[in-house]
Amino acid sequence: MKKTNYVNILLALSLTLSIVPSVAHSENAIRSDRPETTVLKYVPTEKEIQVPPGLTEPFFVPFAGSSPNDPYYKEFKQEWFPHFALVSPTGKVIDQQEALLYPGYISPLQNGYGFFHIITHFGNSSFIIFDKQGNTQEITTYNDSFTQIDGEWFLYSPTSYTSYLYNARTKISKQITDEELFPISSEHTGEKTFDIHHYPFVKRNVKDGMVLSYKLGLKDMTGKIHAKPFFDDYMGYSEGLHRVKINGMTHFINHEGKVVLKPSRNYKVESNIHSGVFIISGKKDNEEFYLLMNKKGTFASKKYAFLKETSDGQFIAVTKTKDGYFFQKINAMDKPTTTLPYKLDKPEQLKQLKQTGKLFHTDTQIIADVANKQPFPFPHKLLTPPRKETVSMEYTVDGKKYIGTFTHDGTKIYARELK
């Protein structure tokens, strides 16, 4: 992902943020009030989707809005990508991506809410917010200025000069001022986490229309300032502490701006607080290593080749041996919580390693399930990160290419041959 500095993000946001009323829908049917596109005729039918019992949240199925062999992709040197349809746990198609110039982002559910990009058209975009029950709201934005801030809270705009925070549950929106614009990823992936009740705002030193310097502080939605501007960058929030940078060094501060922890400059902080500890990295003899550190600033684990936090409060810990790279899960006290060692066959994908639901995976492949089995013993490439219960992929069986969606145990929900 392309990274931008705070000033670039701030300037981009000042030109791209605001709100319009959203349109609410249920899982009843595909939308019929949008301009018809050729993509619609390729949307999967409910007869094609065989939902096994036990699914509890909406999922996505891929479809080819155009053929990978379309001369357009070769002529303009663009890589083919699939579109996706949102499907309820009961198998009803709720909505779908329709007119995209590039792959539209699909978010995971975060505290019961998620979103996906459905339309890009003449500088405007449309996004669908959906909840765990399959209810949806459509939001139109200027460019792609849309992101999920904290569960039911979103930041977005369809015009170029105003910004709004929007609550998808209460349908309440709050316009925020130019000074309240805070740094968010330019690609709306939600990787940077916020506390909606103590979010960053910027104070700039401006002379003759030029920003000479700036500092960030923390305030709430009533406008009350909890921490006066004093830090330089905002890295994320979790478990009551904000990760910020001051003079290039990472600090953890509380809601009032008090510095609770300042890790050594000898280590790079790799995560927010996670189950009371956080991940740091360093180098020795030109080889990178990872450790857990607690809130007292002391080491809480041995050295690993890589560490990654998981959604269940634990960590994936990778060890390098003479036989290759192996990983297992550990808790915040560095105690193994799995009895099986999992092998990573492609060390170059080490830093892509994640766990979603029952699956360990990289950005492109399923490595194994939690029982150390491979539910997908055929060539495959992930089309989007796995969801909590399902995974979508392009795969090859008997020399034929397919796109489809499966449960984590390998049960096929939907598939189409890719021609």
Side-chain angles (χ1 to χ4, degrees):
M1 179 186 299
K2 184 179 179 181
K3 300 293 185 183
T4 55
N5 61 34
Y6 172 76
V7 174
N8 288 338
I9 293 173
L10 184 64
L11 291 173
L13 282 172
S14 67
L15 294 174
T16 60
L17 294 173
S18 167
I19 195 172
V20 293
S22 60
V23 182
H25 307 283
S26 66
E27 68 162 42
N28 293 335
I30 295 175
R31 290 286 309 283
S32 61
D33 56 344
R34 300 187 193 126
E36 185 173 348
T37 65
T38 57
V39 168
L40 292 178
K41 65 183 180 181
Y42 301 113
V43 175
T45 65
E46 292 172 7
K47 289 183 179 180
E48 295 177 272
I49 301 169
Q50 304 298 316
V51 179
L55 295 188
T56 63
E57 64 179 44
F59 59 94
F60 289 85
V61 297
F63 64 97
S66 59
S67 169
N69 298 317
D70 191 315
Y72 167 86
Y73 296 104
K74 185 176 182 179
E75 180 180 353
F76 292 96
K77 297 180 180 180
Q78 291 194 8
E79 186 176 350
W80 176 86
F81 61 90
H83 287 60
F84 285 88
L86 176 66
V87 181
S88 76
T90 62
K92 293 184 178 181
V93 177
I94 304 170
D95 218 321
Q96 68 287 317
Q97 294 176 329
E98 295 184 16
L100 296 171
L101 302 176
Y102 45 85
Y105 180 72
I106 296 174
S107 84
L109 279 176
Q110 183 190 122
N111 296 328
Y113 289 86
F115 71 94
F116 67 112
H117 192 180
I118 62 167
I119 294 174
T120 300
H121 184 67
F122 293 110
N124 293 318
S125 289
S126 289
F127 293 83
I128 293 293
I129 299 173
F130 63 95
D131 63 21
K132 195 171 182 179
Q133 290 70 44
N135 301 307
T136 65
Q137 302 172 57
E138 182 173 339
I139 306 292
T140 301
T141 72
Y142 179 80
N143 285 338
D144 294 338
S145 49
F146 183 98
T147 194
Q148 187 171 14
I149 299 298
D150 183 14
E152 64 199 39
W153 285 98
F154 295 82
L155 173 66
Y156 67 108
S157 170
T159 62
S160 57
Y161 297 105
T162 54
S163 308
Y164 284 78
L165 288 168
Y166 176 72
N167 187 293
R169 178 178 57 84
T170 64
K171 312 296 190 298
I172 292 174
S173 60
K174 177 187 182 295
Q175 185 172 0
I176 59 178
T177 67
D178 187 51
E179 279 198 347
E180 289 177 298
L181 291 177
F182 48 85
I184 62 171
S185 165
S186 61
E187 298 180 8
H188 50 253
T189 60
E191 286 190 354
K192 186 174 290 188
T193 55
F194 296 89
D195 172 19
I196 195 65
H197 303 294
H198 303 86
Y199 61 84
F201 72 100
V202 61
K203 182 67 175 178
R204 292 169 292 177
N205 177 20
V206 180
K207 184 177 181 180
D208 299 328
M210 298 291 292
V211 178
L212 302 180
S213 62
Y214 64 87
K215 294 291 181 180
L216 298 169
L218 298 173
K219 69 190 307 183
D220 63 27
M221 293 189 68
T222 68
K224 179 181 177 181
I225 294 176
H226 292 266
K228 294 182 178 180
F230 76 101
F231 55 91
D232 304 313
D233 199 3
Y234 189 84
M235 310 300 292
Y237 168 82
S238 66
E239 299 183 18
L241 294 179
H242 305 263
R243 179 161 59 114
V244 304
K245 280 193 174 181
I246 304 172
N247 297 326
M249 287 190 62
T250 298
H251 296 63
F252 288 96
I253 64 173
N254 62 17
H255 297 322
E256 288 69 45
K258 180 182 178 181
V259 175
V260 175
L261 176 62
K262 182 175 69 174
S264 168
R265 188 183 290 270
N266 296 326
Y267 302 101
K268 180 182 177 182
V269 178
E270 301 282 355
S271 76
N272 297 327
I273 303 293
H274 188 72
S275 297
V277 296
F278 58 98
I279 302 170
I280 60 171
S281 66
K283 277 190 176 181
K284 184 177 181 181
D285 299 328
N286 212 31
E287 187 165 88
E288 196 171 29
F289 62 86
Y290 288 73
L291 290 157
L292 295 180
M293 180 173 280
N294 61 30
K295 293 179 182 179
K296 295 180 180 179
T298 57
F299 300 138
S301 77
K302 63 183 181 183
K303 292 180 180 179
Y304 290 97
F306 183 66
L307 284 167
K308 180 68 176 181
E309 64 270 39
T310 59
S311 61
D312 59 1
Q314 301 182 55
F315 301 85
I316 297 175
V318 183
T319 302
K320 183 181 179 182
T321 73
K322 61 181 179 62
D323 297 317
Y325 288 86
F326 293 84
F327 64 93
Q328 63 183 147
K329 289 184 69 177
I330 62 172
N331 61 22
M333 296 178 287
D334 198 22
K335 302 295 183 183
T337 59
T338 54
T339 58
L340 296 169
Y342 306 90
K343 188 173 183 180
L344 182 64
D345 292 324
K346 296 184 177 181
E348 67 274 14
Q349 296 181 343
L350 177 68
K351 293 187 179 181
Q352 298 177 15
L353 189 59
K354 302 177 184 69
Q355 182 186 4
T356 304
K358 297 178 180 179
L359 300 177
F360 294 107
H361 62 93
T362 64
D363 292 346
T364 58
Q365 291 184 313
I366 301 300
I367 299 172
D369 63 15
V370 292
N372 208 9
K373 297 179 180 179
Q374 174 51 274
F376 309 101
F378 41 73
H380 65 269
K381 180 180 71 173
L382 299 183
L383 297 174
T384 187
R387 304 192 69 76
K388 181 181 176 182
E389 301 171 329
T390 60
V391 58
S392 297
M393 62 181 65
E394 178 183 321
Y395 63 99
T396 303
V397 174
D398 296 331
K400 295 182 179 180
K401 283 189 176 182
Y402 298 86
I403 52 176
T405 298
F406 298 80
T407 63
H408 286 193
D409 63 6
T411 300
K412 183 169 65 178
I413 298 174
Y414 156 89
R416 275 185 184 172
E417 187 177 352
L418 193 58
K419 297 180 181 180

